[in-house]
Amino acid sequence: MRFLPLRPLALASLIANIALIVTGAAVRLTGSGLGCPTWPKCTDASYTTTAEMGVHGVIEFGNRMLTFVLGLLAVLCVLAALVEKPRRRSTVLLSVAVLAGIPGQGVIGGITVLTKLNPWVVGLHFLLSIGLIALAYFLWKRTFEGDGKPVDLVPRPLRHLAAVLTATSVAVIAMGVVVTGSGPHAGDQNAKRNGLDPATVSQAHADVVFLFIGLTIALIFALRAVKAPRSANRAALTLLAIVLGQGVIGFVQYFTHLPVILVGAHMLGAGLVWTGTLSVWWSLRTRPALEQAPTSPAAPSPAPATTDVAPTEEPVPAQR
């Protein structure tokens, strides 16, 4: 229905889920991870931050409040999917999946506080955000499609290459989580690290990034070779630009000893790289609108009525 449009709500949900990565990074980079030292309350006596907790409490509590914004958007998406005409099963299921992930994310966020920012739990919290971004992206893109069967726009081997690219993107993000867990920005000065050597895991992370860049370039050339649709070429080129920019930020932050501004930008870049990867995957197929059932042909006009009345005159015989 017009007063509850699904498409802009789904886009808002996607943007908010990416924003949650940035606000989560702000919590960690400002040392505010335990600004609210307990959960679900902010203190033992209050659900909200107090003046005694200072700016760290405000930052941590603000990040918690963003979860409610995500929840509200997810609820609106479910309602919009339900009132769509015609109602589509795929958009309903995707919107419900996004909604179901929000409480789970809140619970894992609470566990990170109760475990005093255990780096592996913090990493799981981030990875759940990546999953929610994927669901929100799929929901948004689904609003542009019809309900026909999916149609591949490129040969199957290129779909396989895109699948490998997507898996490598997940590996890049997961390795980034491990690097973060070994670094200095723990969210609190007393929080433990994962104990891995930062230089070693950073090198492993960089190696996977180089593989990802190579696969992206290979896909670009393959798409051009098969004359893939312009949208697919554009998505692959955009992804390459994003990952190259992300790589530059990563190298600069490493050699400048991880300034918080660059680390925050790198966190945002992780969300954009993942979204760009999903865009490439989505651009290689389409769903046309369902074919309309043929309408029944118009009934033939009735033949002119005949009469049983005999002619009034006999036919004149032919002259010999």
Side-chain angles (χ1 to χ4, degrees), residues 164-187:
V164 174
L165 178 73
T166 303
T168 306
S169 182
V170 174
V172 167
I173 293 170
M175 287 299 301
V177 168
V178 176
V179 172
T180 298
S182 68
H185 299 296

Side-chain angles (χ1 to χ4, degrees), residues 4-313:
L4 201 60
L6 178 58
R7 185 176 299 170
L9 287 172
L11 178 59
S13 178
L14 172 62
I15 293 172
N17 276 284
I18 296 174
L20 186 64
I21 292 178
V22 180
T23 60
V27 170
R28 184 168 56 83
L29 295 171
T30 58
S32 305
L34 296 177
C36 288
T38 187
W39 186 86
K41 292 184 177 181
C42 194
T43 69
D44 290 336
S46 174
Y47 280 97
T48 62
T49 184
T50 62
E52 292 79 8
M53 302 174 71
V55 66
H56 293 310
V58 173
I59 294 173
E60 164 64 7
F61 184 72
N63 187 57
R64 291 188 182 189
M65 289 298 99
L66 184 56
T67 302
F68 290 97
V69 175
L70 293 176
L72 176 60
L73 287 172
V75 169
L76 291 176
C77 284
V78 172
L79 293 177
L82 288 173
V83 301
E84 257 194 327
K85 300 296 182 184
R87 182 184 299 172
R88 300 199 291 176
R89 183 171 180 267
S90 58
T91 55
V92 172
L93 291 178
L94 283 169
S95 60
V96 169
V98 173
L99 177 60
I102 303 299
Q105 194 172 49
V107 169
I108 294 177
I111 295 174
T112 64
V113 173
L114 297 178
T115 58
K116 306 301 180 185
L117 307 181
N118 180 290
W120 300 109
V121 181
V122 173
L124 180 62
H125 191 44
F126 178 80
L127 291 176
L128 181 55
S129 288
I130 293 299
L132 285 174
I133 287 173
L135 291 172
Y137 182 84
F138 293 157
L139 174 62
W140 175 57
K141 294 296 289 185
R142 194 69 185 86
T143 64
F144 292 89
E145 294 187 323
D147 292 315
K149 292 182 178 180
V151 177
D152 286 345
L153 299 176
V154 297
R156 187 173 297 274
L158 265 67
R159 294 280 294 172
H160 295 163
L161 177 58
V164 174
L165 178 73
T166 303
T168 306
S169 182
V170 174
V172 167
I173 293 170
M175 287 299 301
V177 168
V178 176
V179 172
T180 298
S182 68
H185 299 296
D188 186 82
Q189 60 182 356
N190 297 319
K192 294 181 179 180
R193 303 282 73 204
N194 60 25
L196 300 175
D197 177 54
T200 301
V201 293
S202 295
Q203 182 60 58
H205 178 54
D207 292 341
V208 182
V209 170
F210 284 132
L211 174 61
F212 184 67
I213 292 174
L215 289 170
T216 304
I217 294 174
L219 182 62
I220 289 172
F221 280 105
L223 291 173
R224 289 182 177 274
V226 301
K227 295 180 172 52
R230 184 178 300 178
S231 57
N233 284 280
R234 184 169 56 247
L237 287 170
T238 301
L239 175 60
L240 180 62
I242 293 172
V243 73
L244 288 176
Q246 177 78 333
V248 169
I249 294 173
F251 275 107
V252 173
Q253 72 169 2
Y254 180 80
F255 290 109
T256 55
H257 307 291
L258 303 176
V260 294
I261 294 296
L262 288 182
V263 175
H266 201 55
M267 295 292 290
L268 172 60
L272 296 179
V273 167
W274 179 232
T275 307
T277 304
L278 297 174
S279 177
V280 169
W281 175 260
W282 201 270
S283 70
L284 303 182
R285 33 81 69 204
T286 187
R287 277 180 181 265
L290 281 175
E291 295 184 3
Q292 297 292 332
T295 57
S296 57
S301 56
T306 59
T307 177
D308 295 331
V309 179
T312 57
E313 297 181 355

